[in-house]
Amino acid sequence: MPTVSPPALPSLQGLSAQGRVWRAHSLGQATAAVVPSSFAALDAELPGGGWPLQTVTELLVPQAGVLEWRLLAPALRAWWAAQATPNQATPGRGRRAARAEPARRTLLLVNPPHTPHLPGLQGLGLDLGMQAQALVWVATATPAQALWTAEQAIKSRVAVLAWLPEARPEQLRRLQVHAQSSDAPAFLVRPEHAGQQASAAPLRLVVRPGEESGGWALDVHLLKRRGPAHEGWLKLQAVPGAVEPLLTAGWRVPAPAEISAPLPAEPAVPIHSPSPAEHPHALAGPVLQA
């Protein structure tokens, strides 16, 4: 009988060239598509140069409902505009020809801490009101319902922004498994102290309000990524285009944008939680600091 040789195994060099192997001292290369964050300094620190698809990303914040929108709005806007596919045109009547309308996928908000504020979203560039069901808001009664909703949305290849403060490590692992079959972004917003817990999310970031630009800047630290440990904080200028003309002259003076600052030994940002009477919506104003 003829001898059958076993198939040759791929070499380590070949796997590295395909981006399937990464060394701990260097950033990993994304094997799937990414969505640029629009912050050059942040993209330079993210494996693949942007927010990864086919994975879940954790955002750890001291106060949910504001910072995540400022950080993610540019990427969500770009993704939502890029993935549109034209529908078939409906036959026109008389001399008026129908135009093909773009079919866009849904952005699902799961249990946001504040009522979505459409003018605020538009101010961030997320003009999602042009098409029905472009933005879906789901308010659940229990953490289990929120988790189930996020899981079903990820399995359905829907873009997800979910607030899951009580998710357990095994539940996050399940979401990560489902995200590997999706080509839509999936972001989980959790409290900052959750960074002390284990998580299957390949990318975890701590986001805090910066002191520059009257509190509109963001301080970002990469807690976990495919690559070396991130040292220090990225200072990102996150003033929305619709808001910048409304700021006073003193607030318009740009601070050194998108730079890395040393990691403080005991970083503590005093946060004042505005009452509903002060800001009834998530994006009605910047984070107030004591």
Side-chain angles (χ1 to χ4, degrees):
M1 296 180 61
T3 302
V4 179
S5 301
L9 297 178
S11 64
L12 181 60
Q13 291 79 4
L15 293 176
S16 299
Q18 300 174 16
R20 299 170 61 183
V21 174
W22 60 276
R23 303 180 185 277
H25 64 273
S26 61
L27 283 179
Q29 298 180 358
T31 58
V34 300
V35 179
S37 69
S38 86
F39 300 101
L42 179 57
D43 286 340
E45 299 292 342
L46 293 175
W51 299 116
L53 304 181
Q54 297 184 354
T55 185
V56 293
T57 297
E58 271 191 88
L59 303 178
L60 309 176
V61 298
Q63 177 184 352
V66 179
L67 304 181
E68 58 270 31
W69 281 112
R70 296 189 204 158
L71 182 65
L72 298 178
L76 292 176
R77 178 177 66 245
W79 175 84
W80 193 77
Q83 51 74 47
T85 56
N87 282 330
Q88 294 181 354
T90 304
R93 295 181 178 179
R95 298 181 180 180
R96 302 181 63 180
R99 297 181 180 179
E101 295 294 336
R104 303 177 189 269
R105 292 157 68 184
T106 299
L107 170 61
L108 182 68
L109 309 181
V110 181
N111 239 17
H114 306 285
T115 301
H117 188 227
L118 184 58
L121 295 176
Q122 293 174 339
L124 291 174
L126 292 172
D127 190 7
L128 303 177
M130 66 177 62
Q131 180 178 334
Q133 297 183 352
L135 181 68
V136 177
W137 167 32
V138 177
T140 62
T142 65
Q145 293 178 358
L147 184 69
W148 182 89
T149 302
E151 180 177 336
Q152 298 305 311
I154 292 175
K155 292 169 63 176
S156 302
R157 300 173 58 241
V158 170
V160 175
L161 178 55
W163 286 261
L164 303 175
E166 301 180 19
R168 300 190 302 270
E170 63 273 16
Q171 296 171 333
L172 297 176
R173 187 180 305 108
R174 185 179 179 89
L175 295 179
Q176 169 59 22
V177 170
H178 291 306
Q180 294 175 2
S181 301
S182 174
D183 60 349
F187 297 98
L188 310 180
V189 183
R190 307 186 65 210
E192 186 174 354
H193 62 77
Q196 302 176 2
Q197 304 172 0
S199 172
L203 182 60
R204 310 180 78 191
L205 299 90
V206 180
V207 186
R208 292 174 176 167
E211 298 179 356
E212 297 80 7
S213 302
W216 284 98
L218 298 176
D219 291 345
V220 177
H221 171 65
L222 278 70
L223 186 64
K224 178 184 177 182
R225 62 177 175 177
R226 290 184 59 191
H230 178 231
E231 301 292 340
W233 292 78
L234 298 174
K235 295 188 174 295
L236 310 179
Q237 297 301 308
V239 181
V243 175
E244 196 277 337
L246 305 178
L247 299 179
T248 62
W251 284 12
R252 293 181 189 177
V253 178
E258 302 187 3
I259 61 175
S260 180
L263 186 66
E266 287 291 336
V269 180
I271 300 297
H272 166 68
S273 299
S275 64
E278 292 174 326
H279 297 310
H281 298 291
L283 301 172
V287 174
L288 301 180
Q289 301 186 15

Short mmCIF file of all heavy atoms in Angstrom, two decimals, residues 29-70:
data_model
loop_
_atom_site.label_atom_id
_atom_site.label_comp_id
_atom_site.label_asym_id
_atom_site.label_seq_id
_atom_site.Cartn_x
_atom_site.Cartn_y
_atom_site.Cartn_z
N GLN A 29 -2.21 42.00 15.30
CA GLN A 29 -2.83 42.44 14.08
C GLN A 29 -4.22 41.84 13.99
O GLN A 29 -4.40 40.64 14.19
CB GLN A 29 -1.99 42.02 12.86
CG GLN A 29 -0.60 42.64 12.83
CD GLN A 29 0.18 42.20 11.63
OE1 GLN A 29 -0.29 41.41 10.82
NE2 GLN A 29 1.40 42.71 11.50
N ALA A 30 -5.20 42.67 13.70
CA ALA A 30 -6.57 42.20 13.65
C ALA A 30 -6.77 41.28 12.46
O ALA A 30 -6.38 41.59 11.34
CB ALA A 30 -7.54 43.38 13.56
N THR A 31 -7.34 40.09 12.71
CA THR A 31 -7.66 39.17 11.63
C THR A 31 -9.00 39.50 10.99
O THR A 31 -9.31 39.01 9.92
CB THR A 31 -7.68 37.72 12.15
OG1 THR A 31 -8.64 37.64 13.21
CG2 THR A 31 -6.31 37.33 12.68
N ALA A 32 -9.82 40.30 11.65
CA ALA A 32 -11.10 40.74 11.11
C ALA A 32 -11.04 42.25 10.89
O ALA A 32 -10.06 42.91 11.24
CB ALA A 32 -12.24 40.37 12.06
N ALA A 33 -12.11 42.77 10.34
CA ALA A 33 -12.16 44.21 10.05
C ALA A 33 -12.24 45.01 11.34
O ALA A 33 -12.64 44.50 12.39
CB ALA A 33 -13.37 44.50 9.17
N VAL A 34 -11.81 46.24 11.25
CA VAL A 34 -11.90 47.16 12.38
C VAL A 34 -12.60 48.43 11.91
O VAL A 34 -12.69 48.71 10.72
CB VAL A 34 -10.50 47.51 12.96
CG1 VAL A 34 -9.80 46.27 13.45
CG2 VAL A 34 -9.65 48.22 11.91
N VAL A 35 -13.10 49.19 12.87
CA VAL A 35 -13.71 50.49 12.60
C VAL A 35 -12.84 51.56 13.25
O VAL A 35 -12.67 51.55 14.47
CB VAL A 35 -15.14 50.57 13.16
CG1 VAL A 35 -15.76 51.93 12.89
CG2 VAL A 35 -16.01 49.46 12.58
N PRO A 36 -12.25 52.45 12.48
CA PRO A 36 -11.41 53.50 13.08
C PRO A 36 -12.19 54.31 14.10
O PRO A 36 -13.37 54.62 13.92
CB PRO A 36 -10.99 54.36 11.88
CG PRO A 36 -11.11 53.44 10.70
CD PRO A 36 -12.27 52.54 11.00
N SER A 37 -11.52 54.65 15.19
CA SER A 37 -12.19 55.39 16.27
C SER A 37 -12.29 56.88 15.95
O SER A 37 -13.02 57.60 16.63
CB SER A 37 -11.43 55.21 17.58
OG SER A 37 -10.16 55.87 17.53
N SER A 38 -11.52 57.36 14.98
CA SER A 38 -11.38 58.78 14.59
C SER A 38 -10.43 59.54 15.51
O SER A 38 -10.15 60.71 15.27
CB SER A 38 -12.72 59.51 14.52
OG SER A 38 -13.11 60.01 15.78
N PHE A 39 -9.90 58.89 16.56
CA PHE A 39 -8.88 59.47 17.41
C PHE A 39 -7.54 58.83 17.03
O PHE A 39 -7.32 57.64 17.29
CB PHE A 39 -9.18 59.22 18.89
CG PHE A 39 -10.49 59.80 19.35
CD1 PHE A 39 -11.61 58.99 19.49
CD2 PHE A 39 -10.61 61.15 19.65
CE1 PHE A 39 -12.81 59.50 19.93
CE2 PHE A 39 -11.81 61.68 20.07
CZ PHE A 39 -12.93 60.86 20.21
N ALA A 40 -6.65 59.61 16.44
CA ALA A 40 -5.40 59.05 15.93
C ALA A 40 -4.58 58.39 17.02
O ALA A 40 -4.01 57.31 16.83
CB ALA A 40 -4.60 60.15 15.23
N ALA A 41 -4.49 59.04 18.18
CA ALA A 41 -3.69 58.48 19.27
C ALA A 41 -4.28 57.17 19.77
O ALA A 41 -3.54 56.25 20.13
CB ALA A 41 -3.58 59.49 20.41
N LEU A 42 -5.59 57.07 19.80
CA LEU A 42 -6.23 55.83 20.25
C LEU A 42 -6.06 54.73 19.22
O LEU A 42 -5.74 53.57 19.57
CB LEU A 42 -7.70 56.08 20.53
CG LEU A 42 -8.52 54.86 20.99
CD1 LEU A 42 -7.93 54.24 22.25
CD2 LEU A 42 -9.98 55.25 21.22
N ASP A 43 -6.25 55.03 17.95
CA ASP A 43 -6.08 54.02 16.91
C ASP A 43 -4.66 53.46 16.90
O ASP A 43 -4.44 52.28 16.60
CB ASP A 43 -6.41 54.61 15.54
CG ASP A 43 -7.90 54.79 15.33
OD1 ASP A 43 -8.68 54.13 16.05
OD2 ASP A 43 -8.29 55.59 14.46
N ALA A 44 -3.68 54.30 17.25
CA ALA A 44 -2.30 53.85 17.28
C ALA A 44 -2.06 52.83 18.39
O ALA A 44 -1.11 52.05 18.31
CB ALA A 44 -1.35 55.04 17.45
N GLU A 45 -2.92 52.81 19.40
CA GLU A 45 -2.76 51.88 20.52
C GLU A 45 -3.69 50.67 20.42
O GLU A 45 -3.53 49.71 21.18
CB GLU A 45 -3.02 52.60 21.84
CG GLU A 45 -2.07 53.77 22.13
CD GLU A 45 -0.64 53.30 22.39
OE1 GLU A 45 -0.46 52.10 22.69
OE2 GLU A 45 0.27 54.14 22.29
N LEU A 46 -4.65 50.71 19.50
CA LEU A 46 -5.59 49.61 19.35
C LEU A 46 -5.03 48.58 18.37
O LEU A 46 -4.56 48.95 17.29
CB LEU A 46 -6.95 50.12 18.85
CG LEU A 46 -7.74 50.99 19.81
CD1 LEU A 46 -8.99 51.52 19.13
CD2 LEU A 46 -8.10 50.23 21.08
N PRO A 47 -5.06 47.30 18.70
CA PRO A 47 -4.62 46.28 17.74
C PRO A 47 -5.43 46.36 16.45
O PRO A 47 -6.66 46.38 16.48
CB PRO A 47 -4.89 44.96 18.48
CG PRO A 47 -4.86 45.33 19.93
CD PRO A 47 -5.44 46.72 20.00
N GLY A 48 -4.75 46.44 15.33
CA GLY A 48 -5.43 46.57 14.06
C GLY A 48 -5.74 48.00 13.67
O GLY A 48 -6.17 48.26 12.55
N GLY A 49 -5.55 48.95 14.58
CA GLY A 49 -5.76 50.35 14.25
C GLY A 49 -7.20 50.83 14.36
O GLY A 49 -7.56 51.81 13.71
N GLY A 50 -8.03 50.19 15.18
CA GLY A 50 -9.41 50.64 15.34
C GLY A 50 -10.19 49.70 16.24
O GLY A 50 -9.65 48.75 16.80
N TRP A 51 -11.48 50.01 16.39
CA TRP A 51 -12.34 49.15 17.19
C TRP A 51 -12.54 47.82 16.46
O TRP A 51 -12.97 47.80 15.32
CB TRP A 51 -13.71 49.80 17.42
CG TRP A 51 -13.69 51.09 18.15
CD1 TRP A 51 -14.07 52.31 17.67
CD2 TRP A 51 -13.30 51.31 19.52
NE1 TRP A 51 -13.93 53.27 18.64
CE2 TRP A 51 -13.46 52.69 19.78
CE3 TRP A 51 -12.84 50.48 20.53
CZ2 TRP A 51 -13.17 53.25 21.02
CZ3 TRP A 51 -12.53 51.04 21.77
CH2 TRP A 51 -12.71 52.39 22.01
N PRO A 52 -12.25 46.70 17.10
CA PRO A 52 -12.34 45.43 16.40
C PRO A 52 -13.78 44.94 16.27
O PRO A 52 -14.61 45.15 17.15
CB PRO A 52 -11.53 44.48 17.29
CG PRO A 52 -11.68 45.05 18.67
CD PRO A 52 -11.77 46.55 18.49
N LEU A 53 -14.08 44.31 15.14
CA LEU A 53 -15.33 43.60 14.94
C LEU A 53 -15.10 42.13 15.32
O LEU A 53 -14.00 41.72 15.64
CB LEU A 53 -15.81 43.73 13.51
CG LEU A 53 -15.98 45.16 12.98
CD1 LEU A 53 -16.49 45.15 11.55
CD2 LEU A 53 -16.90 45.97 13.89
N GLN A 54 -16.16 41.36 15.33
CA GLN A 54 -16.09 39.95 15.72
C GLN A 54 -15.53 39.78 17.14
O GLN A 54 -14.85 38.81 17.44
CB GLN A 54 -15.27 39.13 14.72
CG GLN A 54 -15.88 39.12 13.33
CD GLN A 54 -15.12 38.24 12.37
OE1 GLN A 54 -14.05 37.72 12.71
NE2 GLN A 54 -15.65 38.06 11.17
N THR A 55 -15.84 40.72 17.99
CA THR A 55 -15.39 40.66 19.38
C THR A 55 -16.22 41.65 20.18
O THR A 55 -16.90 42.52 19.61
CB THR A 55 -13.90 41.00 19.50
OG1 THR A 55 -13.48 40.81 20.84
CG2 THR A 55 -13.63 42.43 19.10
N VAL A 56 -16.19 41.52 21.49
CA VAL A 56 -16.84 42.50 22.35
C VAL A 56 -15.76 43.38 22.97
O VAL A 56 -14.66 42.92 23.27
CB VAL A 56 -17.69 41.84 23.46
CG1 VAL A 56 -18.87 41.11 22.86
CG2 VAL A 56 -16.85 40.91 24.31
N THR A 57 -16.09 44.64 23.13
CA THR A 57 -15.19 45.61 23.74
C THR A 57 -15.85 46.17 24.99
O THR A 57 -17.02 46.57 24.95
CB THR A 57 -14.88 46.75 22.76
OG1 THR A 57 -14.20 46.23 21.62
CG2 THR A 57 -14.01 47.81 23.43
N GLU A 58 -15.11 46.19 26.08
CA GLU A 58 -15.63 46.70 27.35
C GLU A 58 -15.15 48.12 27.57
O GLU A 58 -13.95 48.42 27.42
CB GLU A 58 -15.16 45.83 28.51
CG GLU A 58 -16.07 44.67 28.85
CD GLU A 58 -15.68 44.02 30.16
OE1 GLU A 58 -16.18 44.46 31.21
OE2 GLU A 58 -14.86 43.09 30.14
N LEU A 59 -16.07 48.99 27.96
CA LEU A 59 -15.75 50.36 28.35
C LEU A 59 -16.10 50.49 29.83
O LEU A 59 -17.26 50.33 30.22
CB LEU A 59 -16.55 51.36 27.52
CG LEU A 59 -16.38 51.27 26.00
CD1 LEU A 59 -17.25 52.31 25.31
CD2 LEU A 59 -14.92 51.45 25.61
N LEU A 60 -15.10 50.78 30.64
CA LEU A 60 -15.28 50.91 32.09
C LEU A 60 -15.30 52.39 32.43
O LEU A 60 -14.31 53.10 32.21
CB LEU A 60 -14.15 50.18 32.82
CG LEU A 60 -13.91 48.73 32.36
CD1 LEU A 60 -12.71 48.14 33.09
CD2 LEU A 60 -15.14 47.88 32.60
N VAL A 61 -16.41 52.86 32.96
CA VAL A 61 -16.60 54.29 33.19
C VAL A 61 -17.03 54.54 34.63
O VAL A 61 -17.70 53.71 35.25
CB VAL A 61 -17.66 54.86 32.22
CG1 VAL A 61 -17.20 54.72 30.77
CG2 VAL A 61 -19.00 54.17 32.41
N PRO A 62 -16.66 55.70 35.20
CA PRO A 62 -17.10 56.02 36.56
C PRO A 62 -18.55 56.47 36.61
O PRO A 62 -19.20 56.40 37.65
CB PRO A 62 -16.15 57.14 36.98
CG PRO A 62 -15.76 57.79 35.70
CD PRO A 62 -15.73 56.70 34.66
N GLN A 63 -19.07 56.98 35.48
CA GLN A 63 -20.44 57.48 35.42
C GLN A 63 -21.00 57.13 34.05
O GLN A 63 -20.59 57.69 33.03
CB GLN A 63 -20.48 58.99 35.65
CG GLN A 63 -21.87 59.61 35.54
CD GLN A 63 -21.84 61.11 35.66
OE1 GLN A 63 -20.81 61.70 35.97
NE2 GLN A 63 -22.98 61.74 35.42
N ALA A 64 -21.92 56.20 34.01
CA ALA A 64 -22.45 55.73 32.74
C ALA A 64 -23.42 56.73 32.15
O ALA A 64 -24.10 57.47 32.86
CB ALA A 64 -23.15 54.38 32.93
N GLY A 65 -23.45 56.77 30.81
CA GLY A 65 -24.44 57.56 30.12
C GLY A 65 -23.91 58.74 29.34
O GLY A 65 -24.66 59.33 28.55
N VAL A 66 -22.65 59.11 29.49
CA VAL A 66 -22.12 60.29 28.80
C VAL A 66 -20.81 59.98 28.09
O VAL A 66 -20.68 60.18 26.88
CB VAL A 66 -21.92 61.47 29.78
CG1 VAL A 66 -21.34 62.68 29.06
CG2 VAL A 66 -23.25 61.84 30.44
N LEU A 67 -19.82 59.50 28.84
CA LEU A 67 -18.47 59.35 28.29
C LEU A 67 -18.44 58.36 27.13
O LEU A 67 -17.72 58.58 26.14
CB LEU A 67 -17.51 58.90 29.39
CG LEU A 67 -17.44 59.78 30.63
CD1 LEU A 67 -16.42 59.22 31.62
CD2 LEU A 67 -17.09 61.21 30.26
N GLU A 68 -19.20 57.27 27.24
CA GLU A 68 -19.17 56.27 26.18
C GLU A 68 -19.69 56.83 24.87
O GLU A 68 -19.20 56.47 23.78
CB GLU A 68 -19.97 55.03 26.59
CG GLU A 68 -21.41 55.27 26.94
CD GLU A 68 -21.64 55.58 28.41
OE1 GLU A 68 -20.75 56.18 29.02
OE2 GLU A 68 -22.72 55.24 28.93
N TRP A 69 -20.67 57.73 24.92
CA TRP A 69 -21.20 58.32 23.69
C TRP A 69 -20.15 59.19 23.01
O TRP A 69 -20.00 59.16 21.78
CB TRP A 69 -22.45 59.13 24.00
CG TRP A 69 -23.68 58.32 24.18
CD1 TRP A 69 -24.40 58.13 25.33
CD2 TRP A 69 -24.37 57.55 23.19
NE1 TRP A 69 -25.47 57.30 25.11
CE2 TRP A 69 -25.47 56.94 23.80
CE3 TRP A 69 -24.14 57.33 21.82
CZ2 TRP A 69 -26.37 56.11 23.10
CZ3 TRP A 69 -25.02 56.51 21.13
CH2 TRP A 69 -26.12 55.92 21.77
N ARG A 70 -19.45 59.99 23.79
CA ARG A 70 -18.43 60.86 23.19
C ARG A 70 -17.31 60.05 22.56
O ARG A 70 -16.74 60.44 21.53
CB ARG A 70 -17.85 61.79 24.26
CG ARG A 70 -18.87 62.76 24.84
CD ARG A 70 -18.13 63.76 25.71
NE ARG A 70 -19.04 64.33 26.69
CZ ARG A 70 -18.65 64.88 27.83
NH1 ARG A 70 -17.37 64.92 28.11
NH2 ARG A 70 -19.52 65.37 28.67
#
